[in-house]
């Protein structure tokens, strides 16, 4: 009957959809790492965040990890699958994560 044919087509289409979804996940990578930057607090002093592109950022902050007791400014660069800036909404994050 016509219903049986349509149900068979639906099952076949669902199977193809699952295979394509799994293939996309493998190509994208099964583990994705995101960074969401909160606004810097006033007590962070001279610290700053620079967005290199949508997947990279640079943090500049005081560091005492220089072998002395003096503080110097140091840059740290980070790469992620996606960086959300401080004005990003929860909806922006959800839209990206749910893909």
């Amino acid at each position: 009957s016509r219903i049986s044919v349509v149900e068979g087509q639906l099952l076949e289409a669902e199977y193809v959809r699952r295979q394509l979804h799994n293939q996309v996940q493998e190509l994208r990578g099964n583990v994705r790492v995101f960074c969401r930057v909160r606004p810097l607090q006033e007590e962070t002093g001279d610290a700053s965040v620079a967005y290199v592109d949508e997947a990279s950022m640079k943090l500049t902050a005081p560091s005492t990890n220089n072998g002395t007791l003096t503080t110097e400014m140091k840059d740290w660069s980070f790469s992620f699958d996606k960086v959300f800036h401080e004005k990003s909404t929860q909806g922006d994050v959800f839209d990206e994560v749910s893909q």
Side-chain angles (χ1 to χ4, degrees), residues 61-76:
S63 172
T64 56
N65 193 16
N66 58 10
T68 69
L69 295 177
T70 61
T71 302
E72 63 182 26
M73 296 303 285
K74 184 169 178 178
D75 293 334
W76 289 276

Side-chain angles (χ1 to χ4, degrees), residues 52-64:
V52 177
D53 56 35
E54 69 176 23
S56 303
M57 61 177 276
K58 181 175 79 172
L59 172 67
T60 302
S63 172
T64 56

Side-chain angles (χ1 to χ4, degrees), residues 11-29:
L11 289 174
E12 184 178 332
E14 180 62 21
Y15 175 76
V16 169
R17 186 200 65 80
R18 270 194 224 130
Q19 282 190 327
L20 291 173
H21 173 76
N22 290 340
Q23 192 173 24
V24 166
Q25 287 297 97
E26 286 179 23
L27 291 172
R28 185 186 294 166

